[in-house]
Amino acid sequence: SNAICNFVICNDSSLRSQPIIFNPDFFVEKLRHEKPEVFTELVVSNITRLIDLPGAELAQLMGEEDPKLPGANSTASGFFRSLMSLKRKEKGVVFGSPLTEEGIAQVSQLIEYLHKNLRAEGLFRVPGNSIRQQILKDALNSGTDIDLDSGEFHSNDVATLLKMFLGELPEPLLTHKHFHAHLKIADLTLFDEKGNKTSTPDKERQIEALQLLFLILPAPNRSLLKLLLDLLYQTAKKQDKNKMSAHNLALMFAPHILWPRNVTANDLQENITKLNSGVTFMIKHSQKLFKAPVYIRECARLHYLGSRAHTSKDDLDLLTSPGSKELQPLKSQKRSRLDSCHQEETQQRTEEALKELFRHVHNMPDSAKKKKLIRQFNKHPTALTPGSDVPSSPAPRRTRSRSFSGLIKRKVLGTPVILERKSRDSTPEPVRVSKENVQLLQKCGSPAHTPQAKLKSLEGQKEESCRRMRALLLSKDSSSL
């Protein structure tokens, strides 16, 4: 019972090539159905972050108070208001009743038919035939099957009947509770560099606020609103044929989906432009409005899979902070583990290469190039050469004498001194490697490829220098005598 989803192994090879359908809002819908209070608190807290809702309006949005609507306290009950009230008292199975899944299924036939006939000029503006509309209305209320493609009904009949269905709902499709929130969303504008409000609408914040507001609509209202806005969006795309732009469609549908019931245009004279503009915006951006914001998806996912739940977009931003490793998403944790494994493998290979390079340097014969390389290694203390066989501290070197007698000892007894030093330095000293050292080693080559003739010539040069020094010393002694 605690499983999130079930997996079924299918052995049918014909179905293995079918694409896997993934719903990014899975955890959002799961949270909505299993914990509606937690879900509502999560969404409303982010709505109040975007728009300013005073205490009374926030209580109305939460359903804690009855919504206070324009014209509710008006004593002037005009003919239009009385007529609309009388029409809504005549409830049918579909028309005039609260939204149900059955009613949406019946009305979806009208929407599906209109999708095939979007090129009719003046669609939703030109009224249809009242007799044909009544026949169609009775058929929908009775639940009988209707063949709209038979040619008996015109597209204008179907479009007018759809508006009639929306107008006879007990409350607008966007509900009375959300009325004040939609007015505030229409006022969202950009700020200048000094922090002052401008007259330019802040479209990104408006889209985000509508996404959040649609999340807390009743499920039937949200389902029908999605079908309706998608139809109006496709209709506006064909405005070169039907002459109905998004603004024209908003004028036709704003009274049915957003205006409070039993109000007139005079009651909304201060806000009618905002309401019409708001519906126009919904039509133009309808393809983005029914996706939960990314941070809501992540908060819902972490509610089930994470160690703690987050309540706002600001909390989600903490996931990327360096000091919150326990809040990292699973995907980032996997990536970090892969990166650390790759770094360890790379470091191990580097250490092995440095060990080999280190042995190569100390196996070279004594020469000026070898001394130069060792000096280069010691100049770079940042890159420590690895190797367990290398002592941690260098052996102390014998200080050279600067006197003339010391020079005689080094020249006359040069060979044993060199052998003694070579035996003392048989254990390699810790050296440090850099990019320049590697390049120098590549130029030097390995001792296995050093010509034997060159080694012999070096030994011959040493013996020759010793003979010359002995002759020089003997000549100096004879002259002093």
Side-chain angles (χ1 to χ4, degrees), residues 90-367:
E90 301 174 1
K91 294 183 180 180
V93 179
V94 177
F95 287 78
S97 298
L99 273 179
T100 59
E101 296 298 333
E102 181 184 357
I104 294 175
Q106 289 290 83
V107 174
S108 63
Q109 299 178 75
L110 307 180
I111 296 176
E112 184 179 355
Y113 171 79
L114 291 173
H115 269 291
K116 304 174 184 177
N117 298 271
L118 297 177
R119 296 177 179 272
E121 186 173 348
L123 191 65
F124 298 110
R125 186 182 70 241
V126 178
N129 183 273
S130 59
I131 298 177
R132 293 196 297 265
Q133 290 173 16
Q134 188 62 43
I135 295 173
L136 186 56
K137 180 179 180 180
D138 294 340
L140 290 174
N141 273 327
S142 62
T144 58
D145 295 334
I146 307 169
D147 186 9
L148 295 174
D149 296 325
S150 63
E152 181 181 356
F153 304 100
H154 192 269
S155 56
N156 289 331
D157 303 333
V158 179
T160 304
L161 192 64
L162 178 60
K163 290 194 300 180
M164 186 185 302
F165 167 77
L166 295 171
E168 292 184 8
L169 289 174
E171 67 173 346
L173 191 59
L174 294 173
T175 71
H176 287 141
K177 296 189 301 183
H178 292 193
F179 176 74
H180 292 290
H182 282 286
L183 290 179
K184 295 296 179 66
I185 291 174
D187 288 334
L188 290 176
T189 56
L190 295 173
F191 293 87
D192 57 15
E193 297 178 354
K194 297 181 180 180
N196 301 320
K197 293 186 67 174
T198 64
S199 59
T200 306
D202 192 344
K203 295 182 179 180
E204 296 299 326
R205 292 178 66 198
Q206 287 177 341
I207 290 175
E208 183 182 350
L210 288 173
Q211 287 175 336
L212 294 170
L213 203 58
F214 287 175
L215 284 176
I216 56 175
L217 274 175
N221 295 57
R222 192 168 187 264
S223 300
L224 182 57
L225 180 65
K226 188 177 188 306
L227 294 174
L228 178 64
L229 289 182
D230 187 60
L231 172 64
L232 300 181
Y233 174 80
Q234 298 298 333
T235 304
K237 288 179 66 175
K238 300 288 192 305
Q239 60 180 314
D240 57 331
K241 302 293 182 182
N242 54 41
K243 310 301 180 185
M244 295 297 293
S245 63
H247 178 70
N248 293 336
L249 293 170
L251 296 179
M252 298 292 104
F253 281 90
H256 302 301
I257 67 175
L258 189 53
W259 289 16
R261 294 294 182 242
N262 303 333
V263 299
T264 63
N266 292 330
D267 298 329
L268 299 173
Q269 57 182 351
E270 296 180 0
N271 298 317
I272 194 169
T273 303
K274 290 182 183 179
L275 298 176
N276 293 336
S277 300
V279 177
T280 303
F281 187 85
M282 294 180 201
I283 295 173
K284 289 182 177 179
H285 300 87
S286 62
Q287 308 304 304
K288 303 178 182 178
L289 301 181
F290 295 92
K291 301 175 183 178
V294 177
Y295 56 88
I296 293 293
R297 295 178 186 174
E298 188 66 15
C299 289
R301 186 184 69 83
L302 289 173
H303 184 85
Y304 290 100
L305 303 181
S307 58
R308 52 173 287 191
H310 303 278
T311 58
S312 69
K313 183 178 180 182
D314 299 331
D315 290 343
L316 185 65
D317 294 338
L318 294 175
L319 292 173
T320 57
S321 63
S324 58
K325 295 183 180 179
E326 71 279 0
L327 302 180
Q328 290 182 351
L330 297 178
K331 186 175 181 181
S332 61
Q333 290 178 357
K334 291 180 179 179
R335 186 184 299 111
S336 63
R337 286 197 294 268
L338 291 175
D339 293 342
S340 62
C341 293
H342 179 69
Q343 291 177 358
E344 291 177 0
E345 183 180 359
T346 305
Q347 184 177 1
Q348 185 177 1
R349 292 179 179 177
T350 304
E351 289 180 356
E352 292 177 357
L354 290 176
K355 288 179 182 179
E356 185 66 25
L357 182 63
F358 193 50
R359 296 190 192 100
H360 170 71
V361 171
H362 285 276
N363 289 335
M364 292 176 62
D366 290 335
S367 63

Side-chain angles (χ1 to χ4, degrees), residues 436-453:
E436 294 82 358
N437 298 336
V438 175
Q439 294 176 353
L440 289 171
L441 285 174
Q442 291 175 351
K443 294 180 181 179
C444 290
S446 62
H449 296 83
T450 304
Q452 296 295 330

